Amino acid sequence: MTGRSETEPPTRAPERRPRTWPIAAGALVSAVLTWAIQALAFRSLGPASYAGFMVVWGAVFFQVGVLFGLQQEVTRSVASAGGAPGGSRSTVPVWRSPVLLLGLLLGAGGAAVLIAFSGLYGARVFGDDWVPIVMAVAVAWLLYALFNAVNGALAGARHWGWLGVSMTVEGTLRFVVLLVLLVAGAGLAGLSFGLAAAGLTWLLLMVWSGPRDTLRLPLDRRLRALARSSCQAMVATAAAAILLSGYPVLLSVTAHGPLPPEAGAVIATVVATRAPLLLPLNAFQTVILTRFVAAGRHVLRPLGAILALVASVTVVGFVVGALLGPWALTILYGADYTIEGWLVGALVIGAGTLAMLSVTGVAALALERHALFAVGWVVAAAVATVLLATDMPVGTRTAWALAAGPVAGALVHMIGVRQGPRTAR
Protein backbone atom coordinates (compact mmCIF):
# COMPACT_ATOMS: atom_id res chain seq x y z
CA MET A 1 0.00 0.00 0.00
CA THR A 2 1.32 3.43 -0.88
CA GLY A 3 -1.27 5.43 1.06
CA ARG A 4 -2.61 6.91 -2.19
CA SER A 5 -6.00 6.08 -3.67
CA GLU A 6 -5.89 3.76 -6.66
CA THR A 7 -8.08 6.21 -8.57
CA GLU A 8 -5.74 9.11 -7.93
CA PRO A 9 -3.65 9.93 -10.99
CA PRO A 10 0.08 9.51 -10.61
CA THR A 11 1.98 12.62 -9.61
CA ARG A 12 3.65 14.34 -12.52
CA ALA A 13 7.25 15.28 -12.27
CA PRO A 14 7.57 19.05 -12.09
CA GLU A 15 8.48 20.67 -15.40
CA ARG A 16 11.91 22.15 -15.61
CA ARG A 17 11.91 25.89 -15.80
CA PRO A 18 13.21 27.05 -19.19
CA ARG A 19 16.71 28.47 -19.10
CA THR A 20 15.99 31.84 -20.65
CA TRP A 21 19.14 33.54 -19.38
CA PRO A 22 20.82 33.21 -22.82
CA ILE A 23 18.08 35.47 -24.22
CA ALA A 24 18.68 38.08 -21.52
CA ALA A 25 22.43 37.86 -22.10
CA GLY A 26 22.01 38.21 -25.87
CA ALA A 27 19.65 41.16 -25.45
CA LEU A 28 22.11 42.87 -23.08
CA VAL A 29 25.09 42.42 -25.41
CA SER A 30 23.08 43.64 -28.41
CA ALA A 31 21.76 46.66 -26.47
CA VAL A 32 25.20 47.72 -25.22
CA LEU A 33 26.72 47.42 -28.71
CA THR A 34 23.78 49.32 -30.20
CA TRP A 35 24.19 52.18 -27.75
CA ALA A 36 27.95 52.22 -28.34
CA ILE A 37 27.71 52.42 -32.13
CA GLN A 38 25.10 55.18 -31.93
CA ALA A 39 27.38 57.24 -29.66
CA LEU A 40 30.31 56.68 -32.03
CA ALA A 41 28.14 57.64 -35.00
CA PHE A 42 27.14 60.92 -33.31
CA ARG A 43 30.79 61.77 -32.66
CA SER A 44 31.83 60.81 -36.21
CA LEU A 45 28.94 62.34 -38.19
CA GLY A 46 28.01 65.41 -36.16
CA PRO A 47 24.46 66.42 -35.14
CA ALA A 48 23.11 67.24 -38.61
CA SER A 49 24.31 64.08 -40.41
CA TYR A 50 23.50 61.97 -37.37
CA ALA A 51 19.83 62.98 -37.68
CA GLY A 52 19.74 61.58 -41.23
CA PHE A 53 21.51 58.41 -40.11
CA MET A 54 19.00 57.87 -37.31
CA VAL A 55 16.09 58.29 -39.74
CA VAL A 56 17.47 55.33 -41.69
CA TRP A 57 18.13 53.49 -38.43
CA GLY A 58 14.55 54.13 -37.33
CA ALA A 59 13.21 52.91 -40.69
CA VAL A 60 15.17 49.65 -40.48
CA PHE A 61 14.22 48.93 -36.89
CA PHE A 62 10.63 49.92 -37.46
CA GLN A 63 10.63 47.11 -40.02
CA VAL A 64 12.24 44.77 -37.49
CA GLY A 65 9.47 45.67 -35.04
CA VAL A 66 6.79 44.99 -37.65
CA LEU A 67 8.43 41.67 -38.56
CA PHE A 68 8.26 40.62 -34.92
CA GLY A 69 4.67 39.70 -35.76
CA LEU A 70 6.07 37.16 -38.24
CA GLN A 71 8.41 35.85 -35.54
CA GLN A 72 5.52 35.44 -33.10
CA GLU A 73 3.44 33.53 -35.64
CA VAL A 74 6.30 31.18 -36.54
CA THR A 75 6.92 30.60 -32.83
CA ARG A 76 3.25 29.74 -32.30
CA SER A 77 3.15 27.48 -35.35
CA VAL A 78 6.27 25.48 -34.45
CA ALA A 79 5.17 25.11 -30.82
CA SER A 80 1.61 24.18 -31.83
CA ALA A 81 2.90 21.49 -34.19
CA GLY A 82 4.80 19.93 -31.29
CA GLY A 83 8.22 21.25 -32.22
CA ALA A 84 10.73 20.54 -29.48
CA PRO A 85 14.38 19.56 -29.13
CA GLY A 86 14.64 15.98 -30.25
CA GLY A 87 11.21 16.03 -31.93
CA SER A 88 10.39 14.70 -35.37
CA ARG A 89 11.82 16.56 -38.30
CA SER A 90 11.08 16.66 -41.98
CA THR A 91 13.51 15.08 -44.41
CA VAL A 92 13.34 17.99 -46.86
CA PRO A 93 16.57 19.95 -47.46
CA VAL A 94 16.93 22.93 -45.13
CA TRP A 95 16.73 25.37 -48.06
CA ARG A 96 13.19 24.09 -48.75
CA SER A 97 12.21 24.54 -45.12
CA PRO A 98 8.69 26.01 -44.78
CA VAL A 99 10.10 28.51 -42.24
CA LEU A 100 12.59 29.88 -44.77
CA LEU A 101 10.00 29.79 -47.57
CA LEU A 102 7.61 31.83 -45.41
CA GLY A 103 10.34 34.36 -44.59
CA LEU A 104 11.36 34.56 -48.25
CA LEU A 105 7.77 34.99 -49.42
CA LEU A 106 6.97 37.84 -47.03
CA GLY A 107 10.47 39.31 -47.32
CA ALA A 108 10.54 39.46 -51.11
CA GLY A 109 6.94 40.71 -51.25
CA GLY A 110 7.58 43.47 -48.73
CA ALA A 111 10.81 44.53 -50.42
CA ALA A 112 9.02 44.76 -53.77
CA VAL A 113 6.30 46.96 -52.25
CA LEU A 114 8.89 49.27 -50.66
CA ILE A 115 10.66 49.74 -53.99
CA ALA A 116 7.46 50.06 -56.05
CA PHE A 117 6.05 52.88 -53.88
CA SER A 118 9.38 54.55 -53.07
CA GLY A 119 8.56 57.51 -55.29
CA LEU A 120 5.82 58.50 -52.83
CA TYR A 121 7.97 58.57 -49.70
CA GLY A 122 11.67 58.29 -50.62
CA ALA A 123 12.64 61.94 -51.02
CA ARG A 124 10.44 63.15 -48.15
CA VAL A 125 11.81 60.66 -45.63
CA PHE A 126 15.42 60.15 -46.74
CA GLY A 127 16.31 63.35 -48.61
CA ASP A 128 17.86 63.92 -52.01
CA ASP A 129 19.99 60.73 -52.10
CA TRP A 130 17.00 58.53 -51.38
CA VAL A 131 17.34 55.94 -54.16
CA PRO A 132 20.26 53.87 -52.74
CA ILE A 133 18.84 54.30 -49.21
CA VAL A 134 15.47 52.89 -50.28
CA MET A 135 17.29 49.94 -51.86
CA ALA A 136 19.15 49.34 -48.60
CA VAL A 137 15.92 49.53 -46.59
CA ALA A 138 14.27 47.05 -48.97
CA VAL A 139 17.25 44.67 -48.63
CA ALA A 140 16.97 45.04 -44.84
CA TRP A 141 13.30 44.03 -44.98
CA LEU A 142 14.14 40.89 -46.96
CA LEU A 143 17.05 39.84 -44.72
CA TYR A 144 15.25 40.56 -41.46
CA ALA A 145 12.16 38.68 -42.61
CA LEU A 146 14.36 35.59 -42.89
CA PHE A 147 16.13 36.45 -39.62
CA ASN A 148 12.87 36.82 -37.67
CA ALA A 149 11.45 33.64 -39.21
CA VAL A 150 14.51 31.67 -38.08
CA ASN A 151 14.33 33.22 -34.60
CA GLY A 152 10.65 32.30 -34.42
CA ALA A 153 11.47 28.66 -35.15
CA LEU A 154 14.21 28.66 -32.49
CA ALA A 155 11.78 30.10 -29.93
CA GLY A 156 9.00 27.69 -30.89
CA ALA A 157 11.38 24.75 -30.39
CA ARG A 158 12.55 26.27 -27.07
CA HIS A 159 16.15 26.51 -28.26
CA TRP A 160 16.85 29.42 -25.91
CA GLY A 161 20.61 29.04 -26.21
CA TRP A 162 20.59 29.35 -29.99
CA LEU A 163 18.15 32.27 -29.77
CA GLY A 164 20.58 34.05 -27.45
CA VAL A 165 23.42 33.31 -29.89
CA SER A 166 21.35 34.75 -32.74
CA MET A 167 20.71 38.01 -30.86
CA THR A 168 24.38 38.32 -29.87
CA VAL A 169 25.68 37.66 -33.37
CA GLU A 170 23.22 40.14 -34.91
CA GLY A 171 24.22 42.96 -32.55
CA THR A 172 27.93 42.20 -32.92
CA LEU A 173 27.77 42.02 -36.71
CA ARG A 174 25.96 45.37 -36.89
CA PHE A 175 28.50 46.98 -34.56
CA VAL A 176 31.54 45.70 -36.48
CA VAL A 177 30.21 46.55 -39.95
CA LEU A 178 29.10 50.07 -38.98
CA LEU A 179 32.35 50.73 -37.10
CA VAL A 180 34.39 49.81 -40.19
CA LEU A 181 32.19 52.02 -42.39
CA LEU A 182 32.43 54.98 -39.99
CA VAL A 183 36.23 54.69 -39.84
CA ALA A 184 36.33 54.48 -43.64
CA GLY A 185 34.22 57.64 -43.91
CA ALA A 186 31.31 55.99 -45.72
CA GLY A 187 28.32 58.15 -46.60
CA LEU A 188 24.72 57.67 -45.55
CA ALA A 189 24.01 55.19 -48.36
CA GLY A 190 26.94 52.99 -47.31
CA LEU A 191 25.87 53.11 -43.66
CA SER A 192 22.35 52.15 -44.73
CA PHE A 193 23.61 48.97 -46.38
CA GLY A 194 25.73 48.36 -43.26
CA LEU A 195 22.56 48.40 -41.17
CA ALA A 196 20.93 45.93 -43.54
CA ALA A 197 23.95 43.60 -43.44
CA ALA A 198 23.23 42.58 -39.83
CA GLY A 199 20.17 40.74 -41.16
CA LEU A 200 22.57 38.18 -42.66
CA THR A 201 22.83 36.65 -39.18
CA TRP A 202 20.28 33.99 -40.15
CA LEU A 203 22.68 32.78 -42.87
CA LEU A 204 25.61 32.64 -40.43
CA LEU A 205 23.52 30.46 -38.11
CA MET A 206 23.27 27.83 -40.85
CA VAL A 207 26.91 26.95 -40.15
CA TRP A 208 25.72 25.02 -37.08
CA SER A 209 23.52 21.93 -37.15
CA GLY A 210 21.26 23.05 -34.29
CA PRO A 211 19.53 25.90 -36.17
CA ARG A 212 19.53 23.89 -39.42
CA ASP A 213 17.70 21.00 -37.75
CA THR A 214 15.23 23.39 -36.12
CA LEU A 215 14.20 24.70 -39.53
CA ARG A 216 13.15 21.17 -40.50
CA LEU A 217 10.52 21.04 -37.74
CA PRO A 218 6.93 20.86 -39.04
CA LEU A 219 4.49 23.77 -38.92
CA ASP A 220 0.81 23.55 -38.00
CA ARG A 221 -0.58 25.18 -41.16
CA ARG A 222 0.02 25.42 -44.86
CA LEU A 223 2.26 28.18 -46.16
CA ARG A 224 -0.57 30.33 -47.53
CA ALA A 225 -2.51 30.28 -44.27
CA LEU A 226 0.63 31.07 -42.30
CA ALA A 227 1.45 33.98 -44.60
CA ARG A 228 -2.04 35.40 -44.05
CA SER A 229 -1.94 35.06 -40.25
CA SER A 230 1.60 36.47 -40.17
CA CYS A 231 0.45 39.58 -42.07
CA GLN A 232 -2.35 40.05 -39.54
CA ALA A 233 0.14 39.77 -36.68
CA MET A 234 2.46 42.29 -38.36
CA VAL A 235 -0.35 44.82 -38.64
CA ALA A 236 -0.79 44.57 -34.88
CA THR A 237 2.94 45.02 -34.17
CA ALA A 238 3.33 47.93 -36.62
CA ALA A 239 1.66 50.48 -34.34
CA ALA A 240 3.92 49.50 -31.45
CA ALA A 241 7.02 49.58 -33.66
CA ILE A 242 6.39 53.13 -34.89
CA LEU A 243 6.74 54.49 -31.35
CA LEU A 244 9.36 52.07 -30.06
CA SER A 245 11.73 52.16 -33.04
CA GLY A 246 10.32 54.42 -35.75
CA TYR A 247 10.28 57.77 -33.93
CA PRO A 248 13.03 59.31 -36.16
CA VAL A 249 10.98 58.38 -39.24
CA LEU A 250 7.87 60.00 -37.74
CA LEU A 251 9.90 63.12 -36.98
CA SER A 252 11.17 63.26 -40.56
CA VAL A 253 7.76 62.65 -42.14
CA THR A 254 6.03 65.31 -40.03
CA ALA A 255 8.81 67.90 -40.35
CA HIS A 256 8.07 71.12 -42.23
CA GLY A 257 11.07 70.86 -44.55
CA PRO A 258 14.51 69.32 -43.78
CA LEU A 259 15.26 68.39 -40.19
CA PRO A 260 17.10 71.19 -38.33
CA PRO A 261 20.63 70.51 -37.01
CA GLU A 262 19.40 70.30 -33.41
CA ALA A 263 17.25 67.30 -34.36
CA GLY A 264 20.34 65.08 -34.10
CA ALA A 265 20.88 66.02 -30.46
CA VAL A 266 17.18 65.49 -29.69
CA ILE A 267 17.16 62.01 -31.29
CA ALA A 268 20.36 61.09 -29.43
CA THR A 269 18.75 62.15 -26.15
CA VAL A 270 15.65 60.06 -26.88
CA VAL A 271 17.89 57.02 -27.37
CA ALA A 272 19.86 57.69 -24.17
CA THR A 273 16.85 58.39 -21.94
CA ARG A 274 14.89 55.35 -23.08
CA ALA A 275 17.59 52.76 -22.43
CA PRO A 276 17.60 52.71 -18.58
CA LEU A 277 13.83 52.05 -18.44
CA LEU A 278 12.96 50.14 -21.58
CA LEU A 279 15.90 47.71 -21.74
CA PRO A 280 15.17 46.07 -18.35
CA LEU A 281 11.43 46.17 -19.07
CA ASN A 282 11.84 44.41 -22.40
CA ALA A 283 14.04 41.74 -20.80
CA PHE A 284 11.36 40.95 -18.19
CA GLN A 285 8.23 41.26 -20.32
CA THR A 286 7.71 37.51 -20.40
CA VAL A 287 7.97 37.40 -16.59
CA ILE A 288 5.42 40.22 -16.32
CA LEU A 289 3.12 38.47 -18.79
CA THR A 290 3.28 35.24 -16.76
CA ARG A 291 2.39 37.15 -13.58
CA PHE A 292 -0.55 38.88 -15.27
CA VAL A 293 -1.86 35.61 -16.71
CA ALA A 294 -1.70 34.00 -13.25
CA ALA A 295 -3.66 36.93 -11.79
CA GLY A 296 -6.50 36.44 -14.31
CA ARG A 297 -9.42 38.77 -13.62
CA HIS A 298 -7.49 40.32 -10.74
CA VAL A 299 -4.76 41.62 -13.05
CA LEU A 300 -5.30 45.22 -11.89
CA ARG A 301 -3.50 44.49 -8.63
CA PRO A 302 -0.09 43.47 -10.08
CA LEU A 303 -0.58 45.95 -12.92
CA GLY A 304 -0.98 48.80 -10.44
CA ALA A 305 2.12 47.73 -8.52
CA ILE A 306 4.29 47.64 -11.66
CA LEU A 307 2.93 50.97 -12.92
CA ALA A 308 3.68 52.53 -9.53
CA LEU A 309 7.25 51.23 -9.75
CA VAL A 310 7.67 52.62 -13.28
CA ALA A 311 6.25 55.98 -12.18
CA SER A 312 8.64 56.16 -9.22
CA VAL A 313 11.66 55.40 -11.41
CA THR A 314 10.44 57.99 -13.92
CA VAL A 315 10.19 60.74 -11.28
CA VAL A 316 13.71 60.01 -10.04
CA GLY A 317 14.95 59.90 -13.63
CA PHE A 318 13.30 63.24 -14.38
CA VAL A 319 15.13 64.95 -11.50
CA VAL A 320 18.48 63.36 -12.32
CA GLY A 321 18.08 64.02 -16.04
CA ALA A 322 17.14 67.66 -15.59
CA LEU A 323 20.08 68.32 -13.24
CA LEU A 324 22.87 66.10 -14.58
CA GLY A 325 21.64 65.02 -18.02
CA PRO A 326 23.35 67.68 -20.19
CA TRP A 327 26.74 67.10 -18.49
CA ALA A 328 26.50 63.27 -18.67
CA LEU A 329 25.35 63.24 -22.30
CA THR A 330 28.11 65.63 -23.37
CA ILE A 331 30.61 63.09 -22.03
CA LEU A 332 28.84 60.32 -23.97
CA TYR A 333 28.31 62.10 -27.28
CA GLY A 334 31.14 64.65 -27.36
CA ALA A 335 31.59 68.42 -27.39
CA ASP A 336 29.22 68.96 -30.35
CA TYR A 337 26.30 67.77 -28.24
CA THR A 338 24.23 70.54 -26.64
CA ILE A 339 20.83 70.20 -25.00
CA GLU A 340 19.00 71.84 -22.13
CA GLY A 341 18.30 70.14 -18.82
CA TRP A 342 14.53 70.61 -18.93
CA LEU A 343 14.36 68.78 -22.26
CA VAL A 344 16.38 65.83 -20.93
CA GLY A 345 13.95 65.59 -17.99
CA ALA A 346 10.93 65.87 -20.30
CA LEU A 347 12.24 63.08 -22.53
CA VAL A 348 12.76 60.91 -19.44
CA ILE A 349 9.05 61.40 -18.74
CA GLY A 350 8.34 60.31 -22.32
CA ALA A 351 10.40 57.16 -21.76
CA GLY A 352 8.43 56.50 -18.57
CA THR A 353 5.03 56.87 -20.24
CA LEU A 354 6.18 54.58 -23.06
CA ALA A 355 7.19 51.99 -20.46
CA MET A 356 3.73 52.31 -18.89
CA LEU A 357 2.10 51.80 -22.29
CA SER A 358 4.20 48.66 -22.79
CA VAL A 359 3.08 47.29 -19.41
CA THR A 360 -0.63 48.01 -20.00
CA GLY A 361 -0.29 46.37 -23.42
CA VAL A 362 1.09 43.23 -21.79
CA ALA A 363 -1.92 43.25 -19.43
CA ALA A 364 -4.24 43.39 -22.45
CA LEU A 365 -2.48 40.41 -24.01
CA ALA A 366 -2.67 38.49 -20.73
CA LEU A 367 -6.46 38.88 -20.86
CA GLU A 368 -6.43 37.74 -24.51
CA ARG A 369 -7.61 41.19 -25.61
CA HIS A 370 -5.45 41.36 -28.74
CA ALA A 371 -7.64 43.96 -30.46
CA LEU A 372 -7.42 46.15 -27.36
CA PHE A 373 -3.64 45.81 -27.42
CA ALA A 374 -3.50 46.99 -31.04
CA VAL A 375 -6.00 49.85 -30.58
CA GLY A 376 -4.06 51.27 -27.63
CA TRP A 377 -0.85 51.41 -29.64
CA VAL A 378 -2.63 52.86 -32.67
CA VAL A 379 -4.12 55.65 -30.54
CA ALA A 380 -0.70 56.37 -29.03
CA ALA A 381 0.95 56.55 -32.46
CA ALA A 382 -1.84 58.78 -33.83
CA VAL A 383 -1.63 61.28 -30.94
CA ALA A 384 2.17 61.39 -31.20
CA THR A 385 2.01 61.96 -34.95
CA VAL A 386 -0.43 64.87 -34.58
CA LEU A 387 1.78 66.56 -31.98
CA LEU A 388 4.94 66.03 -34.04
CA ALA A 389 3.23 67.79 -36.97
CA THR A 390 2.81 71.05 -35.01
CA ASP A 391 4.97 74.15 -35.50
CA MET A 392 6.63 73.95 -32.06
CA PRO A 393 10.45 73.69 -31.87
CA VAL A 394 11.70 70.18 -32.57
CA GLY A 395 12.62 69.47 -28.95
CA THR A 396 9.34 70.77 -27.54
CA ARG A 397 7.09 68.88 -29.92
CA THR A 398 9.15 65.70 -29.43
CA ALA A 399 8.75 65.93 -25.66
CA TRP A 400 4.98 66.48 -25.92
CA ALA A 401 4.49 63.76 -28.55
CA LEU A 402 6.49 61.07 -26.75
CA ALA A 403 4.74 61.76 -23.45
CA ALA A 404 1.13 62.44 -24.46
CA GLY A 405 0.89 59.70 -27.11
CA PRO A 406 1.74 56.82 -24.75
CA VAL A 407 -0.51 58.28 -22.02
CA ALA A 408 -3.47 58.24 -24.43
CA GLY A 409 -2.73 54.66 -25.48
CA ALA A 410 -2.28 53.50 -21.89
CA LEU A 411 -5.65 54.99 -20.94
CA VAL A 412 -7.29 53.00 -23.76
CA HIS A 413 -5.61 49.84 -22.46
CA MET A 414 -6.67 50.55 -18.87
CA ILE A 415 -10.33 51.10 -19.81
CA GLY A 416 -10.39 47.73 -21.55
CA VAL A 417 -8.37 45.91 -18.87
CA ARG A 418 -10.83 47.05 -16.19
CA GLN A 419 -13.56 45.20 -18.12
CA GLY A 420 -11.61 41.96 -17.76
CA PRO A 421 -11.19 39.14 -20.31
CA ARG A 422 -13.67 38.92 -23.17
CA THR A 423 -14.31 35.22 -22.50
CA ALA A 424 -14.39 33.31 -19.24
CA ARG A 425 -11.35 31.16 -18.60
Side-chain angles (χ1 to χ4, degrees), residues 23-422:
I23 301 175
L28 178 61
V29 171
S30 181
V32 170
L33 292 177
T34 296
W35 204 5
I37 199 62
Q38 288 180 347
L40 290 172
F42 188 94
R43 288 173 174 268
S44 176
L45 300 174
S49 297
Y50 178 80
F53 169 71
M54 286 305 295
V55 169
V56 181
W57 182 292
V60 170
F61 283 93
F62 167 69
Q63 293 181 160
V64 174
V66 173
L67 287 165
F68 188 66
L70 166 63
Q71 180 172 326
Q72 290 175 321
E73 184 60 15
V74 173
T75 298
R76 183 209 59 75
S77 181
V78 171
S80 178
S88 60
R89 291 170 172 79
S90 170
T91 58
V92 300
V94 68
W95 303 112
R96 292 177 57 192
S97 156
V99 172
L100 287 183
L101 290 176
L102 178 64
L104 182 62
L105 174 65
L106 295 180
V113 170
L114 286 170
I115 294 173
F117 291 93
S118 60
L120 301 178
Y121 68 87
R124 181 172 180 81
V125 176
F126 301 119
D128 294 336
D129 298 328
W130 61 271
V131 174
I133 296 174
V134 165
M135 295 300 298
V137 170
V139 169
W141 175 275
L142 171 61
L143 294 179
Y144 273 100
L146 291 161
F147 173 74
N148 281 46
V150 171
N151 278 357
L154 293 173
R158 299 186 294 282
H159 280 311
W160 309 121
W162 282 116
L163 188 57
V165 168
S166 176
M167 298 168 68
T168 302
V169 171
E170 190 261 351
T172 304
L173 181 60
R174 179 172 56 251
F175 177 84
V176 171
V177 172
L178 288 179
L179 181 61
V180 170
L181 291 173
L182 286 171
V183 171
L188 186 55
L191 294 172
S192 302
F193 279 99
L195 277 172
L200 287 168
T201 298
W202 73 271
L203 191 58
L204 298 179
L205 290 176
M206 295 300 101
V207 173
W208 293 287
S209 60
R212 288 202 308 270
D213 289 344
T214 301
L215 295 182
R216 294 190 176 99
L217 289 171
L219 301 178
D220 69 339
R221 298 182 189 175
R222 293 183 180 274
L223 193 61
R224 180 179 299 179
L226 272 176
R228 183 170 58 252
S229 59
S230 296
C231 288
Q232 293 170 347
M234 287 191 289
V235 170
T237 54
I242 195 65
L243 279 182
L244 289 170
S245 308
Y247 153 72
V249 179
L250 264 185
L251 185 62
S252 177
V253 170
T254 56
H256 304 282
L259 287 176
E262 61 266 26
V266 173
I267 294 173
T269 308
V270 171
V271 173
T273 52
R274 283 181 169 185
L277 266 174
L278 295 183
L279 289 181
L281 179 65
N282 289 339
F284 286 95
Q285 271 202 20
T286 52
V287 178
I288 296 173
L289 178 60
T290 302
R291 183 177 177 185
F292 287 170
V293 169
R297 290 181 175 273
H298 305 288
V299 71
L300 287 175
R301 186 175 301 171
L303 174 59
I306 294 176
L307 290 179
L309 176 61
V310 172
S312 301
V313 173
T314 301
V315 170
V316 173
F318 168 77
V319 175
V320 173
L323 295 178
L324 303 178
W327 167 76
L329 293 173
T330 300
I331 294 176
L332 177 64
Y333 290 117
D336 290 337
Y337 178 91
T338 56
I339 200 162
E340 297 175 336
W342 72 266
L343 183 54
V344 178
L347 292 177
V348 170
I349 292 177
T353 58
L354 187 58
M356 292 179 180
L357 175 61
S358 299
V359 172
T360 57
V362 171
L365 291 178
L367 295 176
E368 299 182 12
R369 302 289 297 274
H370 296 81
L372 174 66
F373 169 84
V375 170
W377 280 101
V378 168
V379 168
V383 171
T385 301
V386 170
L387 289 171
L388 282 175
T390 61
D391 292 327
M392 293 184 288
V394 62
T396 305
R397 68 176 185 262
T398 294
W400 276 107
L402 296 187
V407 167
L411 287 175
V412 171
H413 284 160
M414 288 298 295
I415 292 171
V417 167
R418 285 178 63 88
Q419 298 173 358
R422 190 167 298 280

